[in-house]
């Protein structure tokens, strides 16, 4: 297992380096005057020269790339001060260090992503398993029909409806907002409840159908039918033989859906006016804040690679045969 984890980790580090290199040459080496973007409209030649020097754009391209990559692991010096590792540069728009800004916004996005994942895994997979166990019953029909309806919803459509019902019309809840969990756990839960449920709705419907079909396939396997023929009870066969095998496609798809959840976080944060990484990426694009855009891209790539490694580990635990591949 240790060698399996090391192989995945080394592959992730190499992939992250290639993404960092591609990001740098895509933005920095492109034929655009980024010093002019940082300087603004009323920019004097002297200020433009100072900004070009401060951003290191007067250095050779290879040196700029070296400073950018080494800054991530060793830190970097700017005219305004030292940027500790991991240094992703300094914002053109706010003047703040990109990493510090991302860390300020990350808890909001992490709450949305992790909370949404918990909801759709517990509710979606649970409903799908129960639906497969009670196949053909009224409960199965309700779960299947409900998942078909909910899967057609979109965040930008469902979000305003939820806000109107629970916030603006009835006043049952306040406007969603992020409160640090260490400061007020109940306020954190209530403030992020609506956005988390809205973002998890579509995934819950998808995982209900997927878990149901996967469990039905497992129940039709020969070893499961053999166990039933030996007189084992249906609940025992369900949890001892079929349940674990049905998780393999779910875990596989879950790793790929994390990137989809990051995209959903962007729409959710905009819909509910939350200050997360998704909103930060949009603001960076609007303000042409290239260091911030690059930093968010790299951080998102790191987050996705980390989830993929954890997914591979879970996959290897569920199916030990994967360790040999």
């Amino acid at each position: 297992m240790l060698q399996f984890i090391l192989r995945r980790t080394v592959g992730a580090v190499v992939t992250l380096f290639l993404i960092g290199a591609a990001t740098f040459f895509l933005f920095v080496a492109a034929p655009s005057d980024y010093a002019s973007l940082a300087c603004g409209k009323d920019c004097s030649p002297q200020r433009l020269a100072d900004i070009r020097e401060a951003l290191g754009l007067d250095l050779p391209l290879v040196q700029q790339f070296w400073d950018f990559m080494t800054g991530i692991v060793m830190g970097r010096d700017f005219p305004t001060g030292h940027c500790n590792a991991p240094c992703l540069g300094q914002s053109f728009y706010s003047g703040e260090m990109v990493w510090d800004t991302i860390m300020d916004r990350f808890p909001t996005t992490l709450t949305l992503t992790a909370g949404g994942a918990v909801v759709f895994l517990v509710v979606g997979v649970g409903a799908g398993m129960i639906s497969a166990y009670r196949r053909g019953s009224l409960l199965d029909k309700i779960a299947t029909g409900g998942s078909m309806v909910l899967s057609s919803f979109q965040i930008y459509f469902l979000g305003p409806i939820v806000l109107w019902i629970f916030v603006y019309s009835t006043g049952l809840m306040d406007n969603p907002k992020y409160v640090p969990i260490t400061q007020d756990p109940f306020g954190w839960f209530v403030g992020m409840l609506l956005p988390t449920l809205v973002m998890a709705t579509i995934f819950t419907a998808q995982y209900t159908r997927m878990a149901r079909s996967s469990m039905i396939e497992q129940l039709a396997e020969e070893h499961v039918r053999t166990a039933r023929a030996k007189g084992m009870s249906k609940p025992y066969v369900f949890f001892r033989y079929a349940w674990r095998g049905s998780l393999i496609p779910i875990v596989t798809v879950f790793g790929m859906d994390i990137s989809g959840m990051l995209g959903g976080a962007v729409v959710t944060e905009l819909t509910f006016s939350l200050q997360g990484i998704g909103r930060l990426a949009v603001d960076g694009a609007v303000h042409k804040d290239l260091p911030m855009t690059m930093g968010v891209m790299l951080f998102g790539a790191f987050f996705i690679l980390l989830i993929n490694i954890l997914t591979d580990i879970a996959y290897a635990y569920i199916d030990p045969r994967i360790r040999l591949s």
Side-chain angles (χ1 to χ4, degrees), residues 271-323:
T271 301
F272 291 92
S273 300
L274 298 173
Q275 300 298 321
I277 292 182
R279 183 64 176 266
L280 187 64
V282 174
D283 292 342
V286 171
H287 298 137
K288 298 181 180 179
D289 192 351
L290 300 177
M292 189 64 69
T293 304
M294 292 168 59
V296 171
M297 287 181 61
L298 284 176
F299 184 81
F302 169 78
F303 187 76
I304 292 173
L305 289 173
L306 177 62
I307 294 299
N308 286 337
I309 292 176
L310 296 177
T311 302
D312 288 339
I313 294 174
Y315 198 2
Y317 175 77
I318 295 174
D319 186 2
R321 294 171 298 178
I322 194 64
R323 303 175 194 173

Side-chain angles (χ1 to χ4, degrees), residues 75-257:
R76 187 176 175 184
D77 289 323
F78 288 93
T80 56
H82 180 73
C83 177
N84 296 322
C87 180
L88 298 176
Q90 187 176 16
S91 171
F92 287 169
Y93 182 74
S94 65
E96 299 177 353
M97 296 301 172
V98 172
W99 177 258
D100 295 338
T101 305
I102 291 176
M103 286 296 98
D104 289 339
R105 303 286 190 92
F106 180 58
T108 303
T109 303
L110 179 62
T111 300
L112 278 175
T113 305
V118 170
V119 170
F120 73 68
L121 284 178
V122 173
V123 179
V125 175
M129 295 294 182
I130 295 174
S131 180
Y133 185 78
R134 301 288 301 275
R135 184 180 181 184
S137 65
L138 177 62
L139 181 63
D140 178 29
K141 296 178 181 178
I142 294 175
T144 304
S147 64
M148 293 288 289
V149 174
L150 292 178
S151 63
S152 63
F153 288 170
Q154 296 297 325
I155 295 174
Y156 55 81
F157 170 77
L158 186 61
I161 294 178
V162 170
L163 282 174
W164 182 81
I165 294 175
F166 291 98
V167 178
Y168 305 136
S169 179
T170 63
L172 294 175
M173 302 185 69
D174 295 330
N175 270 314
K177 62 179 179 178
Y178 175 79
V179 177
I181 187 173
T182 55
Q183 176 182 331
D184 183 4
F186 181 75
W188 166 81
F189 176 79
V190 174
M192 297 297 293
L193 181 60
L194 289 181
T196 300
L197 292 178
V198 167
M199 194 175 73
T201 297
I202 300 173
F203 291 96
T204 300
Q206 295 173 351
Y207 275 74
T208 298
R209 299 199 311 271
M210 181 170 58
R212 180 183 182 276
S213 61
S214 178
M215 177 56 73
I216 290 176
E217 291 178 0
Q218 286 297 314
L219 291 174
E221 292 288 337
E222 292 185 2
H223 68 281
V224 176
R225 289 185 294 174
T226 302
R228 291 285 291 133
K230 291 181 178 181
M232 298 180 183
S233 65
K234 184 177 179 180
Y236 180 82
V237 173
F238 186 89
F239 289 103
R240 178 64 178 85
Y241 293 98
W243 182 75
R244 186 169 182 173
S246 66
L247 291 180
I248 295 176
I250 295 174
V251 172
T252 304
V253 174
F254 173 74
M256 295 184 293
D257 280 344

Side-chain angles (χ1 to χ4, degrees), residues 66-84:
W66 174 257
D67 292 341
F68 175 73
M69 297 304 295
T70 55
I72 297 177
V73 296
M74 298 175 59
R76 187 176 175 184
D77 289 323
F78 288 93
T80 56
H82 180 73
C83 177
N84 296 322

